[in-house]
Amino acid sequence: MPLKKSFFLVSLFLCFNLLRGQDMHFSQATNFPLLINPAYTGVYDAGSRATLSIRNQNIQVPNTAFTGVYNTIGASFETKIFPELSEQNTWTIGLMGLSDYAGSGTLATTQFLFSTAYSLSLDRYGQSFLSFGGQAGITNRRLFSNDLLFESQINEFDFDPRLPNLEPYIDGNSINSFLLNLGVLYQQQLGDNAITQLGFSLYNLNNPKTYFYSGSNENVYTRVNATGGVLFKLDDYSKFYPSIIYMKQGNFHSMNIGMSYTREINESVSLTGGVRNRMGDAFILIGGLKYNQFYTTLSYDITTSNLSKANKSIGALELNLTYLFGENKMGYSSDRLYCPSF
């Protein structure tokens, strides 16, 4: 009975916190850029980009969907359109899909969004750009309350799942909501060996409705994101990239700071290593490999918050795969630098 009660409390706590309006996220936030700023659509040196991210969090605790309490999968595809008309500027469209399972009583969230951004050159040499981006789509939420354990289902000294839970959950139903996200990104080349980025975005701008109990009027809070970074070219073979990501949603806020170092081994292969700190939550170790147009990175979270007492500091594993298709046809700005995604 104490074990069953503890599972109930943990499940209820996890679902409640999620439903207070926190979005899904990745530790390698800049490796799945459409989740932090729609204006990142098209910020890559190629014609098209495909990205896949898989996150498995808190693997110490079993879950009915995968191994772990939180599991998130994201995929996106972007392509630049009308390159022959845009000269230095670029217009890019894309699609993004996200799937998230959370808690022992599985809360499933699925999102599909259309993304677009226009990058405008601010000078004739293509050294500074201002990008405007937007996303629109739908999100679907479903709570499998039959996976939860309730005290009302304890018959004397035994747990009986056939008993009603006496809770006003919406069993078997799902909720669909419209999503609207907007963002802006500024890029400035600093001499021949550095480039900086500053970005700002708003997600859930329309405060889409969600609910936990029948008749609830809870809305998803607007998420505010601010990003910044400077890419330093140390020599012909190596680059250094410190960056910062700040997110705020309702009463929740997160500061993610870190740095990465990339070394070119030959014309086809580059290696990347980095470390990030999600303040008050986890240290993130990242390793990456680039082979021609293919990029892969693997990260591991070392929990530093009070959650470490429950998960024994075993945090999250995260894998990112990115592939660039085709050449960039940007005319005057063919030598334009891009901040890395690592």
Side-chain angles (χ1 to χ4, degrees):
M1 177 174 169
L3 180 60
K4 292 181 172 66
K5 283 182 123 179
S6 65
F7 268 106
F8 158 67
L9 291 174
V10 169
S11 300
L12 185 60
F13 175 79
L14 292 171
C15 290
F16 177 76
N17 275 291
L18 281 164
L19 285 161
R20 288 296 295 169
Q22 294 179 24
D23 286 345
M24 59 191 84
H25 70 278
F26 291 108
S27 288
Q28 300 179 48
T30 55
N31 280 352
F32 200 83
L34 301 192
L35 195 55
I36 58 173
N37 193 335
Y40 275 116
T41 306
V43 182
Y44 52 85
D45 189 16
S48 302
R49 174 171 66 179
T51 304
L52 174 68
S53 285
I54 303 172
R55 177 178 177 83
N56 179 238
Q57 186 172 343
N58 294 337
I59 57 180
Q60 277 289 101
V61 184
N63 188 35
T64 54
F66 303 101
T67 300
V69 173
Y70 297 100
N71 298 278
T72 305
I73 300 175
S76 65
F77 180 79
E78 307 149 72
T79 188
K80 294 173 181 175
I81 58 176
F82 307 126
E84 66 281 359
L85 301 178
S86 56
E87 296 184 348
Q88 293 172 284
N89 308 325
T90 58
W91 184 13
T92 308
I93 59 174
L95 294 173
M96 178 177 69
L98 293 162
S99 179
D100 182 80
Y101 288 87
S104 297
T106 305
L107 171 67
T109 302
T110 304
Q111 293 183 356
F112 292 100
L113 295 106
F114 171 79
S115 184
T116 186
Y118 191 81
S119 183
L120 177 67
S121 176
L122 301 181
D123 62 77
R124 61 183 297 184
Y125 304 106
Q127 293 186 341
S128 59
F129 286 82
L130 188 63
S131 302
F132 302 92
Q135 291 174 339
I138 60 170
T139 181
N140 174 276
R141 289 182 176 85
R142 183 176 180 181
L143 179 64
F144 297 87
S145 59
N146 287 336
D147 291 339
L148 293 171
L149 310 179
F150 294 87
E151 194 170 358
S152 61
Q153 296 172 301
I154 297 174
N155 184 9
E156 294 183 351
F157 298 102
D158 297 321
F159 174 76
D160 188 351
R162 295 171 299 179
L163 294 176
N165 57 41
L166 302 181
E167 298 290 339
Y169 283 101
I170 309 301
D171 290 321
N173 289 338
S174 61
I175 309 154
N176 296 308
S177 301
F178 174 74
L179 292 179
L180 179 63
N181 310 322
L182 297 175
V184 61
L185 178 69
Y186 175 72
Q187 303 172 77
Q188 175 67 55
Q189 190 163 329
L190 308 173
D192 296 328
N193 299 314
I195 183 173
T196 185
Q197 282 188 356
L198 296 172
F200 179 81
S201 62
L202 295 171
Y203 279 64
N204 309 310
L205 192 61
N206 58 316
N207 295 123
K209 291 185 178 181
T210 186
Y211 54 83
F212 189 35
Y213 290 101
S214 300
S216 172
N217 294 317
E218 277 297 325
N219 289 351
V220 178
Y221 298 119
T222 297
R223 171 162 55 97
V224 179
N225 305 317
T227 60
V230 181
L231 170 65
F232 296 97
K233 184 179 179 182
L234 303 180
D235 52 45
D236 291 338
Y237 305 99
S238 57
K239 298 173 183 178
F240 176 65
Y241 182 52
S243 62
I244 184 170
I245 304 166
Y246 175 78
M247 300 183 183
K248 187 179 188 306
Q249 187 170 17
N251 294 326
F252 171 82
H253 64 91
S254 172
M255 180 78 75
N256 187 327
I257 61 174
M259 60 189 69
S260 65
Y261 174 79
T262 299
R263 180 73 179 182
E264 182 179 312
I265 306 302
N266 54 49
E267 291 184 357
S268 300
V269 178
S270 297
L271 297 177
T272 296
V275 60
R276 305 196 67 86
N277 182 10
R278 194 163 53 242
M279 307 293 289
D281 184 20
F283 280 105
I284 305 162
L285 304 178
I286 304 174
L289 168 69
K290 172 185 176 293
Y291 179 73
N292 292 327
Q293 298 290 85
F294 175 73
Y295 300 77
T296 180
T297 52
L298 182 67
S299 67
Y300 178 72
D301 291 16
I302 302 174
T303 305
T304 58
S305 67
N306 291 333
L307 184 60
S308 61
K309 298 176 182 178
N311 69 1
K312 300 178 182 178
S313 295
I314 299 177
L317 281 171
E318 190 172 301
L319 174 67
N320 178 274
L321 305 172
T322 298
Y323 190 81
L324 301 180
F325 300 84
E327 296 181 356
N328 189 15
K329 301 176 181 180
M330 293 181 59
Y332 295 110
S333 55
S334 58
D335 295 327
R336 176 181 172 189
L337 293 175
Y338 292 87
C339 280
S341 58
F342 304 107

Short mmCIF file of all heavy atoms in Angstrom, two decimals, residues 86-90 118-132 186-187 330 332-333 336:
data_model
loop_
_atom_site.label_atom_id
_atom_site.label_comp_id
_atom_site.label_asym_id
_atom_site.label_seq_id
_atom_site.Cartn_x
_atom_site.Cartn_y
_atom_site.Cartn_z
N SER A 86 15.45 35.99 -54.30
CA SER A 86 15.71 36.63 -53.01
C SER A 86 17.08 37.27 -52.89
O SER A 86 17.33 38.00 -51.94
CB SER A 86 15.54 35.60 -51.89
OG SER A 86 16.39 34.49 -52.11
N GLU A 87 18.01 37.00 -53.83
CA GLU A 87 19.37 37.55 -53.78
C GLU A 87 20.00 37.27 -52.42
O GLU A 87 20.16 36.12 -52.03
CB GLU A 87 19.35 39.05 -54.10
CG GLU A 87 18.88 39.34 -55.52
CD GLU A 87 18.95 40.80 -55.88
OE1 GLU A 87 19.15 41.64 -54.96
OE2 GLU A 87 18.80 41.12 -57.07
N GLN A 88 20.37 38.32 -51.66
CA GLN A 88 20.99 38.09 -50.35
C GLN A 88 20.01 37.57 -49.32
O GLN A 88 20.39 36.93 -48.35
CB GLN A 88 21.60 39.39 -49.83
CG GLN A 88 22.78 39.89 -50.64
CD GLN A 88 23.18 41.28 -50.18
OE1 GLN A 88 22.52 42.26 -50.48
NE2 GLN A 88 24.26 41.35 -49.44
N ASN A 89 18.75 37.87 -49.49
CA ASN A 89 17.74 37.48 -48.52
C ASN A 89 17.33 36.02 -48.73
O ASN A 89 17.55 35.45 -49.80
CB ASN A 89 16.52 38.39 -48.63
CG ASN A 89 16.89 39.85 -48.58
OD1 ASN A 89 17.82 40.24 -47.87
ND2 ASN A 89 16.18 40.67 -49.34
N THR A 90 16.70 35.43 -47.73
CA THR A 90 16.21 34.06 -47.87
C THR A 90 14.82 33.95 -47.27
O THR A 90 14.49 34.59 -46.27
CB THR A 90 17.12 33.04 -47.16
OG1 THR A 90 17.24 33.36 -45.77
CG2 THR A 90 18.50 33.02 -47.78
N TYR A 118 11.60 34.78 -42.87
CA TYR A 118 12.23 35.57 -43.92
C TYR A 118 13.43 36.29 -43.32
O TYR A 118 13.32 36.99 -42.32
CB TYR A 118 11.26 36.59 -44.51
CG TYR A 118 11.79 37.25 -45.76
CD1 TYR A 118 11.70 36.61 -47.00
CD2 TYR A 118 12.40 38.51 -45.71
CE1 TYR A 118 12.18 37.20 -48.16
CE2 TYR A 118 12.89 39.11 -46.87
CZ TYR A 118 12.79 38.45 -48.08
OH TYR A 118 13.27 39.03 -49.22
N SER A 119 14.61 36.09 -43.94
CA SER A 119 15.85 36.69 -43.46
C SER A 119 16.22 37.84 -44.39
O SER A 119 16.45 37.65 -45.59
CB SER A 119 16.97 35.64 -43.43
OG SER A 119 18.17 36.20 -42.92
N LEU A 120 16.29 39.05 -43.83
CA LEU A 120 16.50 40.27 -44.60
C LEU A 120 17.92 40.81 -44.38
O LEU A 120 18.33 41.03 -43.24
CB LEU A 120 15.48 41.33 -44.18
CG LEU A 120 15.59 42.71 -44.83
CD1 LEU A 120 15.28 42.64 -46.32
CD2 LEU A 120 14.67 43.70 -44.13
N SER A 121 18.66 40.99 -45.46
CA SER A 121 20.01 41.55 -45.36
C SER A 121 19.93 43.04 -45.03
O SER A 121 19.16 43.79 -45.66
CB SER A 121 20.76 41.35 -46.68
OG SER A 121 22.03 41.97 -46.63
N LEU A 122 20.72 43.47 -44.06
CA LEU A 122 20.71 44.87 -43.63
C LEU A 122 21.84 45.69 -44.26
O LEU A 122 21.93 46.90 -44.01
CB LEU A 122 20.82 44.95 -42.10
CG LEU A 122 19.69 44.24 -41.32
CD1 LEU A 122 19.91 44.42 -39.82
CD2 LEU A 122 18.33 44.77 -41.73
N ASP A 123 22.69 45.05 -45.05
CA ASP A 123 23.75 45.78 -45.75
C ASP A 123 24.05 45.09 -47.07
O ASP A 123 23.66 43.95 -47.30
CB ASP A 123 25.01 45.89 -44.88
CG ASP A 123 25.60 44.53 -44.56
OD1 ASP A 123 26.24 43.94 -45.44
OD2 ASP A 123 25.37 44.05 -43.43
N ARG A 124 24.75 45.77 -47.93
CA ARG A 124 25.01 45.26 -49.27
C ARG A 124 26.04 44.14 -49.29
O ARG A 124 26.17 43.43 -50.31
CB ARG A 124 25.50 46.40 -50.18
CG ARG A 124 26.78 47.05 -49.72
CD ARG A 124 27.17 48.22 -50.60
NE ARG A 124 27.44 47.80 -51.96
CZ ARG A 124 27.87 48.62 -52.92
NH1 ARG A 124 28.04 49.91 -52.65
NH2 ARG A 124 28.12 48.17 -54.13
N TYR A 125 26.77 43.94 -48.20
CA TYR A 125 27.82 42.92 -48.15
C TYR A 125 27.35 41.62 -47.49
O TYR A 125 28.12 40.68 -47.37
CB TYR A 125 29.04 43.46 -47.41
CG TYR A 125 29.57 44.74 -48.01
CD1 TYR A 125 29.36 45.96 -47.37
CD2 TYR A 125 30.25 44.74 -49.23
CE1 TYR A 125 29.83 47.15 -47.93
CE2 TYR A 125 30.72 45.91 -49.79
CZ TYR A 125 30.51 47.11 -49.14
OH TYR A 125 30.96 48.28 -49.69
N GLY A 126 26.12 41.57 -47.03
CA GLY A 126 25.61 40.35 -46.42
C GLY A 126 26.26 40.01 -45.10
O GLY A 126 26.49 38.84 -44.79
N GLN A 127 26.60 41.03 -44.29
CA GLN A 127 27.25 40.79 -43.01
C GLN A 127 26.31 40.96 -41.82
O GLN A 127 26.69 40.65 -40.70
CB GLN A 127 28.46 41.71 -42.85
CG GLN A 127 29.57 41.41 -43.84
CD GLN A 127 30.82 42.23 -43.57
OE1 GLN A 127 30.78 43.25 -42.89
NE2 GLN A 127 31.94 41.78 -44.11
N SER A 128 25.12 41.45 -42.05
CA SER A 128 24.14 41.56 -40.96
C SER A 128 22.76 41.23 -41.51
O SER A 128 22.39 41.67 -42.60
CB SER A 128 24.16 42.95 -40.33
OG SER A 128 23.87 43.95 -41.30
N PHE A 129 22.00 40.45 -40.71
CA PHE A 129 20.70 39.98 -41.15
C PHE A 129 19.70 40.09 -40.01
O PHE A 129 20.04 39.90 -38.84
CB PHE A 129 20.76 38.52 -41.61
CG PHE A 129 21.44 38.33 -42.94
CD1 PHE A 129 22.82 38.27 -43.03
CD2 PHE A 129 20.69 38.20 -44.09
CE1 PHE A 129 23.45 38.09 -44.26
CE2 PHE A 129 21.30 38.03 -45.32
CZ PHE A 129 22.68 37.97 -45.41
N LEU A 130 18.46 40.36 -40.38
CA LEU A 130 17.36 40.37 -39.43
C LEU A 130 16.30 39.41 -39.96
O LEU A 130 15.80 39.57 -41.08
CB LEU A 130 16.77 41.78 -39.29
CG LEU A 130 15.72 41.97 -38.19
CD1 LEU A 130 16.33 41.71 -36.81
CD2 LEU A 130 15.14 43.38 -38.25
N SER A 131 15.97 38.39 -39.14
CA SER A 131 15.03 37.36 -39.56
C SER A 131 13.75 37.45 -38.75
O SER A 131 13.79 37.65 -37.52
CB SER A 131 15.65 35.97 -39.40
OG SER A 131 16.84 35.85 -40.15
N PHE A 132 12.62 37.28 -39.43
CA PHE A 132 11.31 37.25 -38.79
C PHE A 132 10.69 35.89 -39.06
O PHE A 132 10.65 35.44 -40.21
CB PHE A 132 10.41 38.37 -39.33
CG PHE A 132 10.97 39.75 -39.16
CD1 PHE A 132 11.74 40.32 -40.17
CD2 PHE A 132 10.74 40.46 -38.00
CE1 PHE A 132 12.27 41.60 -40.02
CE2 PHE A 132 11.26 41.75 -37.84
CZ PHE A 132 12.03 42.30 -38.85
N TYR A 186 18.58 38.39 -34.87
CA TYR A 186 19.54 39.32 -35.47
C TYR A 186 20.91 38.65 -35.52
O TYR A 186 21.39 38.09 -34.53
CB TYR A 186 19.63 40.60 -34.64
CG TYR A 186 20.69 41.58 -35.11
CD1 TYR A 186 20.52 42.30 -36.29
CD2 TYR A 186 21.86 41.76 -34.38
CE1 TYR A 186 21.49 43.19 -36.73
CE2 TYR A 186 22.83 42.66 -34.81
CZ TYR A 186 22.64 43.37 -35.99
OH TYR A 186 23.60 44.24 -36.42
N GLN A 187 21.55 38.71 -36.70
CA GLN A 187 22.88 38.14 -36.89
C GLN A 187 23.82 39.23 -37.40
O GLN A 187 23.46 39.97 -38.32
CB GLN A 187 22.85 37.00 -37.89
CG GLN A 187 21.90 35.87 -37.53
CD GLN A 187 21.79 34.86 -38.66
OE1 GLN A 187 22.67 34.04 -38.86
NE2 GLN A 187 20.70 34.95 -39.42
N MET A 330 22.80 31.72 -52.42
CA MET A 330 22.44 33.00 -51.82
C MET A 330 23.15 34.20 -52.45
O MET A 330 23.21 35.27 -51.89
CB MET A 330 22.75 32.98 -50.32
CG MET A 330 21.88 32.01 -49.54
SD MET A 330 22.27 32.05 -47.80
CE MET A 330 21.96 33.76 -47.41
N TYR A 332 25.26 37.12 -53.23
CA TYR A 332 26.29 37.92 -52.58
C TYR A 332 26.71 37.34 -51.23
O TYR A 332 27.82 37.55 -50.78
CB TYR A 332 25.78 39.36 -52.39
CG TYR A 332 25.55 40.10 -53.67
CD1 TYR A 332 24.25 40.40 -54.07
CD2 TYR A 332 26.60 40.48 -54.48
CE1 TYR A 332 24.01 41.08 -55.25
CE2 TYR A 332 26.37 41.16 -55.67
CZ TYR A 332 25.09 41.46 -56.04
OH TYR A 332 24.84 42.12 -57.21
N SER A 333 25.80 36.67 -50.57
CA SER A 333 26.09 36.21 -49.21
C SER A 333 26.56 34.76 -49.17
O SER A 333 26.36 34.07 -48.20
CB SER A 333 24.84 36.36 -48.33
OG SER A 333 23.76 35.69 -48.94
N ARG A 336 28.60 33.88 -46.20
CA ARG A 336 27.98 34.20 -44.92
C ARG A 336 28.25 33.11 -43.88
O ARG A 336 28.17 31.92 -44.19
CB ARG A 336 26.48 34.36 -45.13
CG ARG A 336 25.66 34.59 -43.87
CD ARG A 336 24.21 34.71 -44.26
NE ARG A 336 23.32 34.75 -43.12
CZ ARG A 336 21.99 34.66 -43.23
NH1 ARG A 336 21.44 34.55 -44.41
NH2 ARG A 336 21.23 34.70 -42.16
#
